[in-house]
């Protein structure tokens, strides 16, 4: 029998010859980050092999980790197989949990009418201490809010990484998983239900409640997250033209979904709009207040999938752009989620690179807002050109040579206890892809509405990354419309706010249904000139 020891947890796991480290770790219920679904490209499953017999490094490990890291014992858990007794160190950032999951919502929902949906239904079985749960079920993160149904107050809130990330970083990877594995859909459903139960249990536990006290819930997510949780087929979502199986609002008994809430509790799902634009976007529209604004309003909910809405004189267009997880730190060599020690702000001035890290800890890597700042600053300083090509020298900060990937040295090793942080041409390219997706989506909605970006009166930016990003950096790299900075409004997790509003008001639920019916969904990949517009949008201008 071969044994795998996991430090610092101290777990000893029996495993089989040639089993991958990631499979062995998962077999005991430890969720390890695998945002690329085990392709060897994201680097998020990196572990240190302390000692033992393992396979020789795969070419994907050399590409993703680099030879220096491999020499110091780093390996990708998804690529490395166990060939004898092995001891590994699992670093905190490889666990599926994060230090700072942004779940903050707007302080007071706009237009919020106190009074519970339950009492409006005329139901009387709930006591004055009834509690409800609002959930924003994201592709990468799950944010949950425990709410006092009578007063409308949020009792507590918390967030976790969506454990489905172990099966792929984006909706397409997860849908493909259900095509490949007979029990794929069932597994994805099971792990997300477990996560919801444990998140709800944790919230109840720390506020002196019981999970069985949850009398009502609203869960919002994109159409893939919605279908996978409910157990609806995702087949038509995996194939062009990406049509959801179900669009209308649903009420499903919590017990039927496997949720340990009150036996009488229902879960309400807001309606879907079309394609991958789901109830989470409807919730964002409710929660951001953008429906109440006058003029031409552009709304962006930036995530692994970015949903975009454009409202012009009562007409409403929406689309979903596959922006990918680069701003979550995935696919970026030294990318991190927003954990302690992640660089979140950067300024480059001549040879000086000034940065700020989360919790002011020594730098470990770059999170989304830091990555965005870095690219904008590299562009401004002439380190990269509009095509994203990197110059050969910038003081002593460009690393290049035979068999060495050209990269900008963000933090030199001698300033950070021997740990160097770089940003390569390939990393720049990942950001070009993300920004091109968002820009092309915006341009195509403007084309549908037959207006130009100069006609936009307000840009509402929602989502975790959207809360912390620097708008000027977003404009500098051409991700956002080139309009006055004063027109931008960052609103936090508006989808969470919208879910809470729907939990508390039947009127809001009805409004959501009406809203979803009147939105024109634009499927980007079917749009004329989509490819050429996307290629053009890769440029930084
Ligand atoms: Fe191993 Fe992405 S899961 S590199």
């Amino acid at each position: 029998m071969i044994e795998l020891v996991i430090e610092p947890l101290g777990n000893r796991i029996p495993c089989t010859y040639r089993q991958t480290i990631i499979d062995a770790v998962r077999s005991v219920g430890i969720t390890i980050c695998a945002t690329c679904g085990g392709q060897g490209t994201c680097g998020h499953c990196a572990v240190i092999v302390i000692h033992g017999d393992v396979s020789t490094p795969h070419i994907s490990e050399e590409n993703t980790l680099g030879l220096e890291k491999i020499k110091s014992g780093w390996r990708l858990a998804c690529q490395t197989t166990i060939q004898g007794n092995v001891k590994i160190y699992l670093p905190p950032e490889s666990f599926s949990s994060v230090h700072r999951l942004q779940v903050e919502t707007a302080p007071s929902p706009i237009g919020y009418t106190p009074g519970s949906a339950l009492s409006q239904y005329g139901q009387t079985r709930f006591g004055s201490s009834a509690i409800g749960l609002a959930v924003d079920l994201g592709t990468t993160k799950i944010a949950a809010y425990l709410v006092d149904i009578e007063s409308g107050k949020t009792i507590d809130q918390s967030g976790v990484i969506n454990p489905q990330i172990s099966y792929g970083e984006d909706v397409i990877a997860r849908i493909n998983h259900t095509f490949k594995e007979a029990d794929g859909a069932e597994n994805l459903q099971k792990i997300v239900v477990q996560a919801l139960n444990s998140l709800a249990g944790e919230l109840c536990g720390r506020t002196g409640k019981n999970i069985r006290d949850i009398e009502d819930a609203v869960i919002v997510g994109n159409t893939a997250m919605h279908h996978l949780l409910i157990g609806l087929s995702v087949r038509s979502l995996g194939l062009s033209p990406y049509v959801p199986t179900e669009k209308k609002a649903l009420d499903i008994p919590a017990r039927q979904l496997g949720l340990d809430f009150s036996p009488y509790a229902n879960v309400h799902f807001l309606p879907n709009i079309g394609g991958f634009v789901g109830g989470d976007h409807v919730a964002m529209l409710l929660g951001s207040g953008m429906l109440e604004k006058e003029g031409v309003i552009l709304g962006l909910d930036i995530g692994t999938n970015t949903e975009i809405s454009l409202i012009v004189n009562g007409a409403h267009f929406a689309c979903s752009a596959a922006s990918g997880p680069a701003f979550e730190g995935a696919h970026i060599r030294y990318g991190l989620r927003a954990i302690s020690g992640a660089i979140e702000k950067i300024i480059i001035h001549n040879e000086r690179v000034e940065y700020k890290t989360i919790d002011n800890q020594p730098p470990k890597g770059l999170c989304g807002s830091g990555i965005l700042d870095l690219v904008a600053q590299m562009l401004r300083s002439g380190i990269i050109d509009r095509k994203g090509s990197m110059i050969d020298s910038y003081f002593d900060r460009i690393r290049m040579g035979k068999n060495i990937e050209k990269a900008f040295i963000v933090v030199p090793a001698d300033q950070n206890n021997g740990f160097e942080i770089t940003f390569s041409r390939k990393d720049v390219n990942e950001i070009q892809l993300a920004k091109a997706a968002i820009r092309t989506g915006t341009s195509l909605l403007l084309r549908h509405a037959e207006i130009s970006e100069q006609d936009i009166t307000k840009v509402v930016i929602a989502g975790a990354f959207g809360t912390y990003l620097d708008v000027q950096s977003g404009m500098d790299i051409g991700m956002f419309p080139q309009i006055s900075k004063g027109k931008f409004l960052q609103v936090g997790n508006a989808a969470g706010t919208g879910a809470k509003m729907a939990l508390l008001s039947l009127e809001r639920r009805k409004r959501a249904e009406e809203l979803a019916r009147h939105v024109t969904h634009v499927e980007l990949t079917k749009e004329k000139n989509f490819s050429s517009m996307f290629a053009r949008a890769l440029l930084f201008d």
Side-chain angles (χ1 to χ4, degrees), residues 22 33-46 64 76-79 166:
I22 202 164
C33 283
T35 42
C36 69
Q39 304 290 313
T41 54
C42 70
H44 282 175
C45 66
T64 304
L76 296 178
C78 67
Q79 303 296 314
S166 302

Side-chain angles (χ1 to χ4, degrees), residues 15-59:
C15 42
T16 52
Y17 184 68
R18 288 194 183 278
Q19 188 174 21
T20 59
I21 292 178
I22 202 164
D23 282 346
V25 172
R26 276 181 186 157
S27 71
V28 290
I30 299 170
T31 324
I32 199 166
C33 283
T35 42
C36 69
Q39 304 290 313
T41 54
C42 70
H44 282 175
C45 66
V47 299
I48 296 171
V49 174
I50 301 170
H51 58 68
D53 291 333
V54 291
S55 52
T56 49
H58 188 264
I59 183 79

Side-chain angles (χ1 to χ4, degrees), residues 25 39 59 79 98 128 143 155 171-172 287 372 378 393 401 478 483:
V25 172
Q39 304 290 313
I59 183 79
Q79 303 296 314
V98 293
S128 57
I155 305 166
V171 289
I172 297 294
L372 178 63
M378 285 167 76
S393 74
I483 55 176

